[in-house]
Amino acid sequence: MRLAVDITKRLGSFCLHVAFACEDGVLGILGASGCGKSMTLKCIAGIERPDSGHIELDGVTLFDSEKRINLPPQKRHVGYLFQNYALFPNMTVRQNILCGLRAEKRSRAQSEQALHEVMELLGLTGLERRLPSQLSGGQQQRAALARILISQPKLLMLDEPFSALDTHLREKLQIEMKHLLRSYQGATLMVTHSRDEAYRLCDRIALMKTGRILTLQPTKRLFANPGTIAAAAVTGCKNIAKAVKAGEYEVDVPEWGVRLRTAAPVLDGLCAVGIRAHYFNLRCMQNRCQVELGEIMEEPFELTVPFRYENQKSDSSELWWRLSKDCKPAAAKLELGVAPENVLLLYDEAEDRQ
């Protein structure tokens, strides 16, 4: 199963131009609000028409501007979970879900079996006769997802699939979804604002900015080496500062007043470095510097500790250090280290250094 997309669509002064391909597995799409993530899904689903380009799914052309092909949504075999759920308000949960089988030729027994399986999977058993207005936001979203999954689409597209769920239900459903997606025979696109969600569920991640895909990489590789400031920020790096090359394996960070050793060779064109808050370590003897801690912020199981380097510029922002609560620092001044392999080298977005 392969999806290939290369499209352009203008909306006023905004121009969406995306080109990517994905096969079996889950591709996450990350980016700020308004960058074109949802519009990309709508163009693939046939809800919006691109101005130009080509979309192909499993060898079938869904859209081609030159050949004037534009299949209607019901013929694209694409399942799309909308952010607003799009459930029919006058239909029960059962009726809403079975709508997903209207285009399918199944016996009554097969339909009932499929209904039972998807409702059990998504925790909807016992809610068959309720109307959408009688459901919580999370239940509505799960009913909408069940309506999509029951038809076994070739492509599954999820737009913020867990945003309406409470924390416990979100984590429980993510575990179930991960198992479901492993056995799913088609490709999956998932738009999410949560880097944790993306890391848990996505095999690859496409980072979008102002209508363009900046990079598309395997998930773990992107988190380990984001490559650009935008990618580092989206993947959760809290400590980013401008830097200059000081040697083949050294960088100067004027804002922090430190020189750092790196594991990867420093290439020409370096513009910044990033250090994730969890990477600082009391025991690490490399890149070790004197720091002064700020006011500790407690969370249920972790601490966030702001700090400043000894020679850090006074007008620069504090850095963040995150650690387990049972490792609470005893002094306001101490030495912190960071391993060279944990110094992220960040380059200009126009450069492809992956």
Side-chain angles (χ1 to χ4, degrees):
M1 193 70 62
R2 185 175 188 273
L3 170 70
V5 178
D6 187 351
I7 55 172
T8 299
K9 183 174 179 63
R10 289 191 177 274
L11 294 166
S13 60
F14 178 81
C15 180
L16 175 72
H17 179 67
V18 292
F20 66 92
C22 66
E23 300 185 11
D24 295 347
V26 184
L27 173 63
I29 304 179
L30 293 179
S33 178
C35 73
K37 304 185 301 296
S38 294
M39 181 57 65
T40 299
L41 299 192
K42 290 176 181 178
C43 287
I44 296 170
I47 299 167
E48 294 282 351
R49 187 184 188 280
D51 296 326
S52 62
H54 180 88
I55 303 172
E56 185 176 309
L57 176 62
D58 196 24
V60 176
T61 299
L62 307 184
F63 173 82
D64 191 295
S65 56
E66 292 187 0
K67 297 179 180 179
R68 297 187 178 182
I69 296 173
N70 187 26
L71 294 186
Q74 61 270 25
K75 292 187 177 181
R76 296 195 177 200
H77 301 290
V78 170
Y80 185 9
L81 178 64
F82 295 89
Q83 284 182 299
N84 64 355
Y85 317 138
L87 294 169
F88 296 107
N90 60 334
M91 291 185 178
T92 64
V93 170
R94 171 191 169 85
Q95 291 169 331
N96 263 288
I97 297 174
L98 286 175
C99 279
L101 293 177
R102 281 185 172 177
E104 304 284 329
K105 294 182 179 180
R106 299 194 189 188
S107 67
R108 183 180 180 85
Q110 289 173 328
S111 296
E112 289 296 328
Q113 179 63 26
L115 176 67
H116 171 77
E117 290 175 357
V118 76
M119 291 194 70
E120 186 174 291
L121 172 65
L122 297 177
L124 294 169
T125 303
L127 305 177
E128 293 88 345
R129 299 188 181 279
R130 292 193 187 183
L131 296 172
S133 61
Q134 299 172 313
L135 302 176
S136 68
Q139 290 169 337
Q140 289 180 25
Q141 192 169 47
R142 285 182 283 143
L145 182 57
R147 183 175 62 187
I148 293 169
L149 294 177
I150 197 171
S151 66
Q152 298 179 326
K154 290 182 178 180
L155 173 66
L156 180 61
M157 300 196 299
L158 310 174
D159 196 343
E160 302 285 2
F162 307 106
S163 59
L165 306 175
D166 60 52
T167 302
H168 170 72
L169 208 54
R170 184 186 305 126
E171 292 176 353
K172 181 176 182 292
L173 189 54
Q174 283 177 12
I175 294 171
E176 294 172 346
M177 178 65 77
K178 186 170 184 176
H179 291 303
L180 182 147
L181 294 177
R182 281 177 180 170
S183 60
Y184 180 60
Q185 298 302 308
T188 302
L189 296 181
M190 186 174 79
V191 166
T192 176
H193 67 277
S194 170
R195 66 178 185 275
D196 294 335
E197 238 169 62
Y199 192 86
R200 290 170 187 160
L201 295 172
C202 300
D203 302 298
R204 296 189 299 160
I205 292 176
L207 175 64
M208 284 191 71
K209 182 178 179 181
T210 58
R212 302 288 195 278
I213 292 179
L214 298 180
T215 185
L216 195 163
Q217 298 182 54
T219 299
K220 291 186 178 180
R221 183 191 300 171
L222 177 63
F223 276 77
N225 182 24
T228 67
I229 293 175
V234 168
T235 56
C237 185
K238 302 297 184 184
N239 307 303
I240 299 173
K242 292 181 179 179
V244 294
K245 181 177 180 178
E248 187 178 0
Y249 292 93
E250 286 186 318
V251 295
D252 281 330
V253 190
E255 188 176 316
W256 296 343
V258 297
R259 174 170 288 189
L260 300 173
R261 185 77 179 169
T262 69
V266 183
L267 306 179
D268 294 335
L270 177 83
C271 63
V273 295
I275 303 177
R276 299 193 187 278
H278 287 97
Y279 285 170
F280 294 104
N281 196 309
L282 284 168
R283 298 185 180 87
C284 181
M285 302 307 295
Q286 298 168 298
N287 292 321
R288 194 170 180 84
C289 299
Q290 184 81 20
V291 303
E292 183 172 352
L293 307 185
E295 184 176 353
I296 296 175
M297 296 177 285
E298 288 198 28
E299 299 176 21
F301 305 107
E302 284 192 313
L303 301 174
T304 296
V305 185
F307 72 88
R308 304 182 71 84
Y309 280 113
E310 185 178 33
N311 297 318
Q312 186 169 339
K313 289 185 177 180
S314 59
D315 60 350
S316 62
S317 300
E318 293 177 312
L319 286 84
W320 284 22
W321 173 30
R322 288 179 66 87
L323 68 162
S324 172
K325 289 184 75 171
D326 58 9
C327 298
K328 186 174 181 178
K333 291 187 177 181
L334 45 79
E335 289 188 346
L336 281 179
V338 60
E341 59 267 27
N342 289 332
V343 178
L344 306 177
L345 302 176
L346 308 177
Y347 297 89
D348 186 83
E349 291 172 1
E351 301 288 341
D352 182 7
R353 301 175 186 273
Q354 303 302 327

